[in-house]
Amino acid sequence: MQIGLVGLPQTGKTTLFNLLTGADEATGLSRKREVYSGTAIVPDERIDFLASLYKPRKKTYAQIQFKDIPGVHRGDGAGAATRLLEEAKTADALVQVIRAFQEEALNATFGFPDPYKELIDFGADLALSDMVSVENRLARLQSARKPPKDASAQIAVLQRVLTALEEGQHFRTINFKEEEKSLIADQVFLTEKPLIIVVNVDEKSWSTGDYPGKNNIFTYGAEHKIPIMEICARIELEIHQLAQEDREEFMRELQLSEPGINRLARAAYNLLGLISFFTVGEDEVRAWTIRQGTTARKAAGKVHSDMERGFIRAEVFHYDDLRQAGSTAAAREKGLFRLEGKDYIVKDGDIINFRFNV
Ligand SMILES: Nc1nc2c(ncn2[C@@H]2O[C@H](COP(=O)(O)OP(=O)(O)OP(=O)(O)O)[C@@H](O)[C@H]2O)c(=O)[nH]1
Ligand SMILES: [Mg+2]
C-alpha cells in the first residue's frame, strides 16, 4: 500500500516527503522530475505508553509507504505529464499538497498563492486524465470487432461517468448501483482514490489561522467529503532540526501538541483503511498493520505464518481498557481479557496474544 504525494509544482511535496520518511532529496527548483519512494513510521502514543509499561528491549511503530510525485512544470511536455499521472494511478491513496505560503521567488514564477484555485485546477487535471481513459475505453468498445457481451451496459455506465466528470464531479461522488460499478471495476480512476488535501501555509497564516480562500477550501472539503489538513512545512522543518528539549519548548510556544507530520502520517494510515493491533512483551512492543475487517486468524498470520496455521484462540484486551485499568494485572482482575475465536474481527487498539499449536 502506498500513498502518493501529488500537486502542482513547488507546493512543498518533497519537503514533506523528506520529513515523513527521513529522506534527504533535493527540494526547490530542479530539472529532474524523479519520483521518490520511502517509508514513514506512524507515530502512536499508544506504543509509547505500552513501552513505558512493559519496558521492552524494542518498540516498533506501524509503517506506511509514501511516493513523492513531482508536479508538472511548464515546458515539461505532455510525455512527462502523462508519466507523472501514471505514477499517481499506481498509488492506493493520494495526498494533494497545495501552496498557501508566500515565497517571493516562487511568486515570480508561479504567481501569488491561490490555494482554492490550485485545489480546483489540480482536481480538474486529475478529472481530465480520467476523461481521457474513459474516452479511450469507449472508443475501444465501440470499434471492437468482437465486443464483449456486456458492451452496451459498459458503454452506458462509461457515458454516465464521462458526463459527470465533464460537469466537474469526481468519480468518488458519483452514485452507482453495485452492478453498474462492477462493469468498470477493472478501470483505475484518479478521482476515485481516497484523498487528503494538505494546505501548506506560511508561519504568518499559521499564527493567524487564516489565509485567502480558506473558507472555500473547507466548504469544498465538506461537500466532497475530503479531509483538509493545514500544515506549515517551514515550521515542521524547524521542529525537525531542533534538539529534543528545544523541540518541546518550541512546540509549546506554537501551541502544537505534536508535529504536524505525525498527524499527517496517521491521517494517511487511516485514509488507506488501515488499523493497528499490538503485541506486547519484554522483548518487543509492536504495532501490526491490518485492514479494517480482518479476522483474528488472518491477523495472526501477520505476526507469523505458524500462528495463522495453528491458530487456536486469541487472548485479547483493548488498549483503552488497559489504559484505564493502569496495568495488565489490574485489567486481568477486572475481567477485561477475552478469548476470541478465529473469526473475531480485530479492532484498532486490540492487544493480542495468539495461542497456537503447530
Ligand atoms: N516559505 C516557505 N517555503 C516553503 C514551504 N514549504 C516548502 N517551501 C519551499 O518551497 C520550495 C518548493 O518545495 P518542494 O518541497 O521542493 O516542492 P515540491 O512540491 O516538491 O515541488 P516539485 O517537485 O517541483 O513539484 C522549496 O524552496 C521549499 O523550501 C513553507 O511552508 N514555507
Ligand atoms: Mg519535489
Side-chain angles (χ1 to χ4, degrees):
M1 291 265 224
Q2 203 176 34
I3 308 202
L5 290 163
V6 294
L8 295 183
Q10 302 292 292
T11 56
K13 297 178 292 297
T14 303
T15 307
L16 291 173
F17 174 80
N18 285 343
L19 287 165
L20 284 161
T21 64
D24 190 21
E25 305 300 351
T27 57
L29 289 169
S30 132
R31 294 234 38 93
K32 285 198 279 183
R33 298 286 174 266
E34 261 181 77
V35 176
Y36 306 111
S37 292
T39 304
I41 66 156
V42 183
D44 189 338
E45 62 175 20
R46 297 173 300 182
I47 287 288
D48 301 323
F49 178 77
L50 291 171
S52 74
L53 217 57
Y54 294 94
K55 314 243 174 336
R57 277 182 279 281
K58 192 175 166 202
K59 65 174 176 179
T60 308
Y61 296 92
Q63 298 187 337
I64 43 172
Q65 309 298 319
F66 278 94
K67 175 153 89 159
D68 172 24
I69 305 168
V72 180
H73 291 240
R74 207 176 290 159
D76 273 353
T82 308
R83 180 174 66 85
L84 295 170
L85 286 168
E86 287 303 320
E87 286 285 353
K89 279 190 190 170
T90 66
D92 299 288
L94 302 175
V95 169
Q96 180 188 341
V97 183
I98 59 187
R99 176 164 81 102
F101 62 85
Q102 288 283 353
E103 183 66 60
E104 254 177 64
L106 292 177
N107 291 347
T109 324
F110 298 94
F112 280 91
D114 190 345
Y116 179 63
K117 181 169 183 296
E118 195 173 309
L119 168 64
I120 302 299
D121 285 355
F122 188 74
D125 286 350
L126 298 184
L128 189 64
S129 156
D130 284 350
M131 283 184 234
V132 171
S133 22
V134 171
E135 278 164 353
N136 287 342
R137 182 162 173 161
L138 274 169
R140 271 200 311 276
L141 280 167
Q142 280 157 342
S143 66
R145 261 195 280 148
K146 274 199 211 146
K149 264 203 253 56
D150 58 4
S152 62
Q154 278 193 43
I155 290 173
V157 179
L158 289 166
Q159 254 149 3
R160 242 186 87 204
V161 174
L162 194 58
T163 309
L165 292 170
E166 279 165 357
E167 284 168 353
Q169 256 197 79
H170 284 181
F171 189 90
R172 75 175 78 72
T173 57
I174 305 175
N175 277 322
F176 289 109
K177 296 200 193 85
E178 265 321 304
E179 61 270 25
E180 288 177 317
K181 192 145 183 205
S182 67
L183 285 167
I184 50 169
D186 57 326
Q187 183 134 4
V188 179
F189 293 99
L190 283 169
T191 62
E192 184 185 16
K193 294 193 183 291
L195 175 70
I196 298 178
I197 304 290
V198 168
V199 187
N200 188 5
V201 300
D202 50 33
E203 285 103 321
K204 185 159 155 276
S205 301
W206 182 261
S207 62
T208 61
D210 201 20
Y211 47 89
K214 175 169 173 158
N215 283 344
N216 286 338
I217 290 174
F218 276 83
T219 307
Y220 180 93
E223 275 172 6
H224 292 82
K225 300 196 178 66
I226 297 169
I228 313 280
M229 245 181 96
E230 290 160 352
I231 230 174
C232 174
R234 203 28 85 76
I235 292 179
E236 294 299 320
L237 209 52
E238 271 179 68
I239 294 174
H240 177 76
Q241 285 158 350
L242 286 171
Q244 187 64 33
E245 52 283 16
D246 303 329
R247 198 178 277 186
E248 276 158 27
E249 165 93 37
F250 182 66
M251 290 202 298
R252 242 196 320 279
E253 276 167 26
L254 290 161
Q255 298 183 318
L256 276 171
S257 58
E258 63 173 340
I261 285 300
N262 296 13
R263 282 188 295 129
L264 178 54
R266 275 201 303 275
Y269 193 67
N270 294 334
L271 188 70
L272 289 172
L274 301 176
I275 59 172
S276 300
F277 72 88
F278 307 122
T279 53
V280 297
E282 283 169 13
D283 263 352
E284 190 180 24
V285 159
R286 176 161 182 170
W288 301 87
T289 300
I290 50 172
R291 281 174 188 263
Q292 244 154 16
T294 301
T295 62
R297 187 188 197 125
K298 275 271 166 251
K302 283 272 162 189
V303 182
H304 200 288
S305 56
D306 283 352
M307 291 189 178
E308 181 174 353
R309 214 151 38 86
F311 182 95
I312 302 171
R313 286 230 176 298
E315 192 180 39
V316 184
F317 61 122
H318 197 271
Y319 173 84
D320 294 341
D321 292 335
L322 172 68
R323 189 82 211 232
Q324 230 169 13
S327 72
T328 320
R332 203 180 276 280
E333 230 162 74
K334 287 189 175 171
L336 296 170
F337 278 63
R338 291 167 281 128
L339 280 178
E340 301 282 4
K342 63 180 178 11
D343 297 325
Y344 168 72
I345 302 294
V346 175
K347 293 188 189 58
D348 184 50
D350 275 347
I351 303 167
I352 307 185
N353 179 31
F354 294 106
R355 296 193 187 163
F356 66 107
N357 186 5
V358 283

